Each structure stands twice: as structure tokens, then as C-alpha cells.
Amino acid sequence: MIRVENLVTSYNGRRILNNVNLEVQAGETMVILGGSGTGKSTLLRHIIRLELPTSGHVYIKNQDICHMPEDRFNLLRAKIGMLFQSAALFNSMTVEENVALPLRELTRLEDSTIRIMTRIKLDLVGLGGFENYMPSELSGGMKKRAGLARALAMDPEILLFDEPSAGLDPITAAGIDNLILKLHKAFHMTIVVVTHEMASAFTIADRITVMDQGEVIATGTPEEIRASKHPKVQQFLNRTPVDETLDAQAYLRSLTQS
């Protein structure tokens, strides 16, 4: 469903993604795991073409989205739903208006049909009865659910999550994990989740990709990742802090070599 080949992205001469290769099979849940600043969210933005790479390719359903006209990609984008880290709700709109927005912008459905579809999606994420609430009246977990309902509005084939548990307490985060599992079981969508939360990753993933410093360092089932001998993978899994002395020396070397 998704294939990333030799993806390189640089900002002001600094590489953020370094020859990233990744395949996501149709109907699987792929979790991209790694610490802050490892390039996870940048990779996700490339998959939805919010950014274009310095070099390399991203294929969705065998179509190279990096080198196609915007109007053609929009046909593909309509089949991709995304839950942003902050939920990205419009504060001036009610929950129902937020969820209905893609249907109003991208379809010619009648208002009555849009209202029915919107309420179905809100029921699906556990927000039935909250249609007329404003985003400011919702808790953090409820905002995530409302954002997810909007991501589901167009019945996507691919669903992307950027740090769905960020800023949530453990119980609410577990509820989001269960909701992802429920959606995957019910609709067999291809799901990609970016996170640094290990508990969530090992709960929802069919496969896990671990990133470090803009590179993919391991990919496999949860069991294979736990058994990985890669030192960076084990450092992340075991929550081993970075040796600050060595890190400072590496930084100084990078300055003298640049």
C-alpha cells in the first residue's frame, strides 16, 4: 500500500531523513517508533505530501506521489485520513462542523446525508451527543477522538496517526489504543502510527519500524524488535540515557568536520 524508497530530506543543509526505506502492506498496522527528533513525523508528512523530499520516492498504491500533479494526488489524498498530534480542530467550528468539513469540501452530498454520516463517525469514536460542543469544551482525549472522526469522514483506505497518545494520561491513551485496534479490526484499513510510546506501539502494531537520527535501524514484528541486537534499539527499549560526555564529543567533532 505504501512504499518509501531512498528518501532524503534536508533543511538548510542538514539531513533530517537519510535514505529511508519502508514498506507498509495493505491492511496492516505499522508503528514508527523512535525518540523525539528522529524524523518520524517528517516521514509521515511526506507520506501525505505535506512536504516533498530532497530526493527519493514515496509510492502509494504503486503511484509515485512525489512526482505527480497536485490535482491528481488530491484524488489519492481523499482516501487518506490523518489525525494530527494536536488534533488540529478548527476552534470556531462545532465538533459536528469539524467532522463534516471534508464532506462539504470534497463531495456534493446533501446536508441531511452529511449530517447522518457525521453522526455515524462521531458515534464510532465514542462522541455521540457531543455534536454541538466547541473544541474548547472538550478534554484532550475527546479532541483526539473528534480529530479521528474527521479523519474517518471520507472512509479512507489509509489512516495516519501522529503521536495519538501525546499529552494524554495513561488511561485515556489506552482508550485511544483500543479505538485504533477496533477500527483496524472493523475496517481492515492500512494504519501508520508515529509514536515514542512503547506501551502503545507494542499493543497496536503488526510490525514496528524503529528510527534513529533520520534512519530506519530496524523493522519487524513486536517480538522481533524486542529481540533485536541493535544497540540503539535496545537503548530505546530499555530507556538507557545517552552518555552526555560522548554526545558532547560527537557534537564537537561534527563542528570541526563541517
Side-chain angles (χ1 to χ4, degrees):
M1 183 66 78
I2 301 170
R3 187 169 81 255
V4 179
E5 289 186 354
N6 302 317
L7 199 68
V8 174
T9 295
S10 298
Y11 300 149
N12 298 319
R14 181 185 173 211
R15 282 200 175 190
I16 306 301
L17 297 177
N18 188 24
N19 291 317
V20 170
N21 289 278
L22 176 69
E23 288 189 358
V24 183
Q25 304 301 322
E28 79 169 337
T29 298
M30 171 67 80
V31 171
I32 302 174
L33 186 63
S36 300
T38 57
K40 308 184 305 295
S41 295
T42 301
L43 176 58
L44 204 64
R45 290 196 297 271
H46 281 75
I47 292 174
I48 202 170
R49 205 170 118 154
L50 292 178
E51 293 188 31
L52 292 173
T54 305
S55 63
H57 305 272
V58 177
Y59 297 92
I60 295 180
K61 301 177 74 171
N62 292 318
Q63 300 182 63
D64 188 349
I65 67 168
C66 298
H67 302 91
M68 67 167 57
E70 186 72 15
D71 57 348
R72 187 176 160 202
F73 176 67
N74 284 337
L75 298 175
L76 271 177
R77 184 181 274 141
K79 289 300 180 181
I80 304 172
M82 182 162 179
L83 174 60
F84 293 90
Q85 183 173 338
S86 62
L89 300 175
F90 291 97
N91 291 326
S92 60
M93 296 181 176
T94 65
V95 169
E96 182 174 12
E97 289 169 340
N98 267 282
V99 178
L101 185 61
L103 296 169
R104 296 194 187 282
E105 291 289 326
L106 301 173
T107 74
R108 297 181 179 179
L109 296 172
E110 295 183 0
D111 283 351
S112 58
T113 303
I114 290 175
R115 174 162 289 195
I116 291 170
M117 294 178 68
T118 297
R119 300 206 171 192
I120 288 173
K121 296 304 189 295
L122 287 170
D123 286 341
L124 186 63
V125 301
L127 285 182
F130 288 88
E131 295 87 356
N132 296 319
Y133 280 61
M134 302 299 290
S136 60
E137 299 174 305
L138 303 180
S139 68
M142 293 169 73
K143 288 179 182 178
K144 297 268 190 179
R145 288 174 179 265
L148 179 54
R150 186 179 60 191
L152 292 168
M154 295 288 292
D155 296 320
E157 296 178 36
I158 299 170
L159 194 55
L160 309 177
F161 293 81
D162 188 7
E163 299 284 5
S165 302
L168 302 180
D169 65 82
I171 295 174
T172 304
I176 296 294
D177 291 343
N178 287 336
L179 185 53
I180 293 172
L181 289 170
K182 171 184 168 185
L183 292 171
H184 185 243
K185 183 177 180 180
F187 300 108
H188 306 289
M189 290 180 289
T190 303
I191 297 176
V192 180
V193 181
V194 159
T195 186
H196 64 271
E197 300 284 350
M198 287 186 290
S200 293
F202 286 97
T203 297
I204 65 178
D206 293 315
R207 289 194 301 144
I208 295 173
T209 290
V210 184
M211 293 186 67
D212 182 68
Q213 295 184 6
E215 298 181 353
V216 171
I217 59 173
T219 298
T221 65
E223 294 75 19
E224 290 169 340
I225 294 299
R226 282 196 180 99
S228 172
K229 302 298 184 183
H230 196 293
K232 288 285 188 178
V233 174
Q234 287 304 314
Q235 182 184 38
F236 188 81
L237 295 182
N238 295 319
R239 301 182 67 205
T240 306
V242 174
D243 187 322
E244 293 185 3
T245 303
L246 293 176
D247 197 51
Q249 291 175 350
Y251 176 67
L252 287 172
R253 282 197 302 272
S254 71
L255 290 178
T256 58
Q257 291 170 3
S258 60

